[in-house]
């Protein structure tokens, strides 16, 4: 059982730390559309924009480049 747990942890381990601005970018891309949708009364539109931002932001690991 410990081997399985270790293998799962190794799959989700990040080799480096993302930049400090990455957390701020995550908050802006996800929370800003949600909050503006709530404040403007357009919940569905705000949620779909936030989902698009989430998928765009997390579509690739930070700091990796395609070669």
């Amino acid at each position: 059982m410990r081997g399985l747990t270790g293998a799962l942890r190794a799959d989700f381990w990040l080799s480096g730390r993302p930049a400090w601005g990455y957390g701020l970018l995550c908050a802006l891309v996800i929370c800003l559309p949600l909050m503006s949708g709530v404040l403007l009364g357009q919940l569905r539109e705000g949620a779909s924009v936030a989902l698009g931002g989430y998928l765009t932001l997390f579509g690739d690991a930070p700091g990796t480049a395609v070669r």
Side-chain angles (χ1 to χ4, degrees), residues 1-13:
M1 190 65 156
R2 287 186 182 195
L4 178 63
T5 306
L8 286 173
R9 284 184 182 166
D11 286 341
F12 291 100
W13 182 75

Side-chain angles (χ1 to χ4, degrees), residues 6 9 11-12 32 45 51-52 54-56 61:
R9 284 184 182 166
D11 286 341
F12 291 100
L32 190 63
E45 289 82 359
L51 178 62
Y54 173 81
L55 293 174
T56 303

Side-chain angles (χ1 to χ4, degrees), residues 20-51:
W20 65 270
Y22 191 69
L24 180 62
L25 181 64
C26 293
L28 288 176
V29 166
I30 296 169
C31 293
L32 190 63
L34 287 175
M35 289 302 298
S36 60
V38 167
L39 294 175
L40 296 173
Q42 305 292 329
L43 298 175
R44 286 179 283 173
E45 289 82 359
S48 45
V49 170
L51 178 62

